Amino acid sequence: MNKKVLVIGSGGREHALCAALARSPQVQTVYCAPGNGGIEAVATCLPDLLVGDFDRLASFVEAEGVDLTVVGPEVPLVGGIGDHFQERGLAVFGPTQAGAQLEGSKAFAKKLMARHNVPTAAYVEFSEYAAAKAHIEELEYWPVVLKADGIAAGKGVVICHSREEALDALHEMMIEERFGAAGAKIVIEEFLRGEEASIHIITDGQTMLMLPTAQDHKAIHDGDQGPNTGGMGAYSPAPVVEGEMLAKIERDILVPILDALRHEGIEYRGAIFAGLMITKGGPRVVEFNARFGDPESEVMFPRLRGDLYEILHTAATGRLSDLEEGPEVDPRPCVGVVMASGGYPGSYQAGKPMYGMEEAEQLEGVTVFHAGTRRRDDGGLSTSGGRVLCVSALGEGFQEARDRAYDATSLIRFEGAYKRGDIAQRALGRSATR
Ligand code: AMP
Ligand code: GLY
């Protein structure tokens, strides 16, 4: 058929979204603004249309007759792109600014959870340095978690193992303004122990539809050591939340948070990504995001067999209950290994020529999703960011999926390439019989 869709963003998540939308039998054209060097293979990239340029993006949609816009990253959502498109009568998948506060303000999310009994870490919120400092001086149990209220590209969270560390982190956030305005308000919360899982729903504010479960690997080094990154790899499904646990998450967390948003008068049309800790006492919310996860998207969307355009368009237009059934999901697991630039998440060099991506994609079940890549004038590809690629593979079991993903990464070369060696290790341990 003849539908046109615009995806906003330039990472591996947007590549995975574009690839899944391009598979829809209804979709004729996928545009991606601005896109990257690899997204070109499945979409028409618009490198001059930047994510923050709401007016030009909406004008493009009007001029081209685009039927649906899908917003990838959080920054434009928190900035109000959803409101801008809705005011112009355009179908947009992504919440309004009010809804995006779920991610944009930790204090807002914590208050909403407290009011509606959604299980999460106990917390205290501070807008004044002196009061926060006094609170830390009284604390007796470590670690505690300090969070800047606003969005800080995943870096505004510090796990503090001693009073000294907590006071240093507080000083950085509130006095040195390391995260700018995001740190004007902070949250101090209880440290949760357990295994993390990522749960995504698609909603129109009334009905919800759950995507396959996933688990991310946030730390830079094997064994979850070293500083946090945007995510170094992922797998789907996450065995830790299958079965009865998933039903409990739906009942105790997802349904109440949708009710809570409605209660606030927010009609939420978009994705909600619940970052959970599965503790001994049950699942608890670590954070909510107002968008799909990255690299979770690169392992969830390859498993989606249904028509993603249909799902996102019905959610964006408030008709999700019209869908007769949820998306068909490939039972095979998917494992995604991120290849990053040497030095990431600290400083790194960009502009390194890349080789071997086509050979890697010849392997069965493998897709190479591009994040920080750029097409050079001579037609080759170069690195252009910290996370460069996410190499994803489907397999009959976790072992096969993981072997395929790692075999594919070994065919790809660029100077300084770094990856973790233990992606999906935990899933293998849990499903030794598969
Ligand atoms: P956030 O940006 O809130 O997801 O935090 C980033 C990461 O910090 C999470 O994925 C967890 O690994 C960790 N984290 C955040 N809050 C807590 C908490 N209360 N207890 C334990 N770990 C946490
Ligand atoms: N993978 C975690 C995130 O997207 O925030």
Side-chain angles (χ1 to χ4, degrees):
M1 289 218 291
N2 55 1
K3 301 295 185 204
K4 295 180 181 175
V5 46
L6 168 66
V7 173
I8 295 178
S10 61
R13 165 183 50 214
E14 287 74 23
H15 193 173
L17 278 165
C18 287
L21 287 163
R23 286 201 299 268
S24 162
Q26 301 185 56
V27 169
Q28 180 187 55
T29 313
V30 181
Y31 296 103
C32 187
N36 66 35
I39 293 177
E40 294 170 355
V42 285
T44 304
C45 290
L46 306 162
D48 297 331
L49 278 183
L50 300 182
V51 161
D53 210 344
F54 303 169
D55 186 43
R56 286 184 66 218
L57 287 164
S59 297
F60 174 83
V61 164
E62 286 165 353
E64 293 299 317
V66 170
D67 300 279
L68 172 69
T69 300
V70 180
V71 184
E74 64 277 18
V75 172
L77 291 168
V78 171
I81 195 169
D83 308 74
H84 187 92
F85 272 59
Q86 281 188 15
E87 278 156 22
R88 288 170 72 158
L90 304 172
V92 57
F93 182 84
T96 58
Q97 200 162 29
Q101 285 182 92
L102 207 51
E103 173 164 6
S105 166
K106 307 247 187 227
F108 171 85
K110 293 299 278 189
K111 259 185 234 146
L112 203 61
M113 287 188 265
R115 231 181 276 143
H116 294 266
N117 293 319
V118 175
T120 184
Y123 81 105
V124 203
E125 169 192 332
F126 295 97
S127 311
E128 282 177 21
Y129 176 71
K133 184 163 180 268
H135 177 83
I136 290 172
E137 275 160 359
E138 301 275 295
L139 287 174
E140 291 176 14
Y141 301 104
W142 309 96
V144 295
V145 186
L146 247 73
K147 298 186 174 183
D149 179 62
I151 47 177
K155 298 183 186 105
V157 173
V158 186
I159 296 172
C160 306
H161 297 271
S162 66
R163 180 165 297 125
E164 204 180 6
E165 270 181 40
L167 289 172
D168 282 352
L170 179 70
H171 197 268
E172 276 195 351
M173 282 184 195
M174 296 194 92
I175 304 293
E176 294 161 43
E177 300 181 4
R178 181 155 164 233
F179 305 111
K185 204 193 281 183
I186 62 140
V187 163
I188 300 182
E189 69 176 38
E190 170 198 6
F191 179 77
L192 300 174
R193 285 172 213 279
E195 190 171 334
E196 287 186 70
S198 303
I199 305 292
H200 291 76
I201 61 167
I202 286 170
T203 183
D204 59 2
Q206 304 291 333
T207 305
M208 71 169 165
L209 193 149
M210 217 189 287
L211 288 177
T213 61
Q215 190 170 126
D216 184 13
H217 298 63
K218 287 217 168 80
I220 184 75
H221 298 307
D222 287 16
D224 295 332
Q225 301 298 307
N228 269 355
T229 69
M232 290 302 292
Y235 58 88
S236 172
V240 66
V241 287
E242 292 297 289
E244 175 51 31
M245 181 60 80
L246 199 56
K248 187 171 170 61
I249 290 166
E250 181 167 0
R251 188 177 64 233
D252 294 351
I253 294 173
L254 302 174
V255 171
I257 203 68
L258 263 195
D259 285 347
L261 288 165
R262 266 200 303 273
H263 197 261
E264 297 293 307
I266 295 170
E267 188 173 63
Y268 195 106
R269 295 180 177 179
I272 299 178
F273 159 9
L276 305 180
M277 188 72 80
I278 312 304
T279 71
K280 284 198 184 121
R284 295 168 79 184
V285 176
V286 173
E287 63 166 355
F288 282 117
N289 295 304
R291 52 169 176 88
F292 297 116
D294 188 348
E296 286 90 336
S297 296
E298 293 96 301
V299 294
M300 295 189 302
F301 292 121
R303 297 186 63 221
L304 217 60
R305 286 287 159 262
D307 180 347
L308 185 64
Y309 176 85
E310 182 71 14
I311 295 171
L312 300 185
H313 189 261
T314 49
T317 50
R319 299 177 296 111
L320 204 53
S321 62
D322 290 356
L323 282 188
E324 310 224 320
E325 51 199 30
E328 195 189 321
V329 174
D330 191 326
R332 291 176 299 165
C334 187
V335 172
V337 177
V338 168
M339 299 183 75
S341 297
Y344 173 80
S347 61
Y348 56 83
Q349 288 183 342
K352 305 289 184 195
M354 303 171 61
Y355 309 95
M357 285 77 72
E358 280 177 20
E359 291 86 331
E361 286 210 293
Q362 300 299 314
L363 298 188
E364 199 178 341
V366 170
T367 311
V368 178
F369 293 112
H370 291 233
T373 74
R374 193 180 60 78
R375 180 75 59 192
R376 296 190 308 265
D377 291 342
D378 67 6
L381 282 166
S382 290
T383 65
S384 67
R387 289 192 292 174
V388 176
L389 301 169
C390 180
V391 180
S392 296
L394 290 159
E396 286 308 322
F398 276 109
Q399 184 73 54
E400 187 175 65
R402 182 172 188 264
D403 289 348
R404 285 176 172 175
Y406 274 109
D407 286 350
T409 61
S410 70
L411 298 173
I412 297 173
R413 299 180 311 284
F414 58 90
E415 193 187 312
Y418 176 82
K419 61 182 182 258
R420 274 179 64 158
D422 65 345
I423 303 302
Q425 193 77 37
R426 209 180 255 142
L428 277 180
R430 279 180 184 277
S431 55
T433 52
R434 289 190 76 164

